[in-house]
């Protein structure tokens, strides 16, 4: 699996443990608490 560089997208959900990230390909990933990141949607 390739290495991704993530930028966090600030949302109020961060206060309850839900974090959103954007990778180099502009795809959005979601993370719940201590679980892994997973793709939320794709641009294709």
């Amino acid at each position: 699996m390739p290495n991704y560089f993530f930028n966090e997208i600030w949302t109020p959900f961060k206060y309850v443990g839900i974090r959103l990230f954007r990778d180099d390909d502009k795809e959005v990933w979601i993370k719940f608490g201590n679980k892994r990141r997973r793709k939320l949607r794709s641009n294709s």
Side-chain angles (χ1 to χ4, degrees):
M1 182 169 197
N3 291 328
Y4 291 103
F5 293 99
F6 293 100
N7 292 323
E8 187 170 356
I9 303 168
W10 190 92
T11 62
F13 293 124
K14 184 176 179 180
Y15 295 125
V16 294
I18 301 170
R19 297 166 67 189
L20 298 173
F21 298 89
R22 184 166 286 136
D23 67 4
D24 293 337
D25 297 330
K26 306 297 185 212
E27 294 181 349
V28 177
W29 297 66
I30 190 165
K31 181 175 175 135
F32 294 103
N34 291 332
K35 296 184 179 179
R36 291 181 171 195
R37 291 182 189 113
R38 59 187 174 116
K39 279 188 187 176
L40 183 62
R41 66 175 176 88
S42 179
N43 284 340
S44 52

